[in-house]
Amino acid sequence: MARQKKEDVKPGSPAWMATFSDLMNLLLCFFVLLFSMSTVDLEKFQLAINSIQSSFSILPQGGATIGEGQMVGAGISQLENLDIFYKEANSPSQDKSENEETSDFEEQYEAAALAESEEMGERIEELLSQYGIADKVQVDINGQFVRLTLNGALLFDSGQAEIREDALPLVDKLGQIVTSYGDNLIDIEGHTDNVPVPEGIKFENNDVLSSYRAHAVKDYFMDNTVLSPSRVRATGCGEYNPVADNTTAEGRALNRRVEIKIYNSLSSY
């Protein structure tokens, strides 16, 4: 009877053992990770609880320790008081207090802004009187700006956007006043009445005409003062912000105007 041939034994560990070893290593890492996540640094946790207790006074005074996975102080569980603190912190009374603080801040801000505008307005009225043009400029004040209003007929001919020669001295004096507030935001607005632009005029409508007039004043300031272009804006408002009745000649004359708004420092953004 022939002998059965023995299989050659390969040197080293079997192939399945490498896979089994990798599996064991992964399981070991997994359980180590679980163990590390379940371990609490008692010293750091104690410091955190003491900090909360001293800052918010939400825990009863007395000793606090950690034992058997439960935080205990003065003989009772402190975790229940944390829930009470959370509810109190988010209670309507807390929101009311925050709203009152916000309201107080807003009132203080508005009062400070109005006080600055009033001071600016008084100074500008003094300068207008010194330059002898107080009767040609209307001054209004609010919590954001001081508004200087000029009748459009003083500056422009009907349907035109070039400043009249006899109005240049007036604009020069206004430029000197405005320059003293060069760090503030300055907004120049052109306004018209609701009468359509006559045919033959180069401007399409009142919006375009008012915009050209506002830019004419701005450009004159840029050419004859040291105002920074970044602080001066020009806007055409057309017929949409009337200050008087457009059904009367007097009202339409008041609506044809140029406004120069000098914002106070709290509103210059």
Side-chain angles (χ1 to χ4, degrees):
M1 180 175 181
R3 294 182 179 180
Q4 186 176 2
K5 185 178 180 181
K6 295 183 179 180
E7 295 183 1
D8 295 335
V9 179
K10 297 181 180 180
S13 301
W16 63 267
M17 187 172 292
T19 302
F20 180 78
S21 299
D22 290 340
L23 177 60
M24 292 299 102
N25 287 331
L26 289 174
L27 287 174
L28 176 62
C29 292
F30 176 72
F31 285 110
V32 169
L33 178 63
L34 289 180
F35 178 78
S36 65
M37 293 175 63
S38 64
T39 301
V40 178
D41 190 328
L42 299 184
E43 182 179 356
K44 291 184 179 180
F45 196 66
Q46 181 69 61
L47 291 175
I49 297 304
N50 291 339
S51 176
I52 294 175
Q53 180 177 358
S54 61
S55 299
F56 300 103
S57 299
I58 63 171
L59 304 178
Q61 296 296 326
T65 60
I66 304 217
E68 298 182 0
Q70 186 177 20
M71 181 172 58
V72 178
I76 62 173
S77 173
Q78 304 291 324
L79 293 176
E80 297 178 358
N81 291 327
L82 289 176
D83 181 61
I84 295 174
F85 167 72
Y86 177 81
K87 292 179 179 179
E88 290 179 351
N90 293 275
S91 64
S93 60
Q94 181 74 14
D95 295 338
K96 181 178 180 181
S97 176
E98 293 178 356
N99 291 336
E100 289 177 352
E101 292 179 0
T102 302
S103 178
D104 291 341
F105 174 78
E106 291 177 350
E107 290 178 359
Q108 294 175 5
Y109 177 89
E110 292 173 359
L114 181 59
E116 183 179 342
S117 291
E118 290 175 345
E119 183 179 352
M120 290 170 54
E122 292 176 359
R123 176 57 180 163
I124 290 173
E125 287 178 339
E126 292 176 1
L127 293 174
L128 291 173
S129 298
Q130 291 179 13
Y131 291 141
I133 57 174
D135 59 331
K136 295 181 175 63
V137 182
Q138 178 182 341
V139 180
D140 298 298
I141 300 170
N142 63 29
Q144 290 185 297
F145 52 76
V146 177
R147 177 171 50 213
L148 310 181
T149 303
L150 298 91
N151 192 309
L154 293 175
L155 302 179
F156 306 101
D157 290 328
S158 178
Q160 301 300 316
E162 295 180 1
I163 301 176
R164 295 169 44 163
E165 288 291 333
D166 58 353
L168 293 180
L170 170 62
V171 181
D172 281 326
K173 293 174 181 178
L174 286 173
Q176 295 178 36
I177 295 174
V178 173
T179 300
S180 61
Y181 298 97
D183 292 333
N184 297 28
L185 179 63
I186 299 166
D187 200 356
I188 303 172
E189 295 181 351
H191 298 265
T192 67
D193 56 28
N194 64 348
V195 177
V197 175
E199 294 184 5
I201 302 298
K202 66 178 181 179
F203 306 108
E204 300 176 6
N205 50 48
N206 285 322
D207 289 348
V208 178
L209 175 60
S210 64
S211 179
Y212 268 82
R213 286 182 171 179
H215 279 87
V217 176
K218 175 186 176 180
D219 292 342
Y220 190 86
F221 283 167
M222 295 299 98
D223 293 339
N224 296 277
T225 69
V226 294
L227 288 171
S228 171
S230 64
R231 307 303 297 167
V232 183
R233 301 184 304 194
T235 308
C237 299
E239 62 193 65
Y240 306 108
N241 296 287
V243 294
D245 189 356
N246 274 314
T247 61
T248 66
E250 294 79 6
R252 290 192 294 272
L254 292 174
N255 290 332
R256 296 190 296 270
R257 67 196 189 279
V258 172
E259 295 180 355
I260 302 174
K261 296 178 179 178
I262 306 175
Y263 287 79
N264 58 51
S265 61
L266 296 177
S267 302
S268 295
Y269 48 84

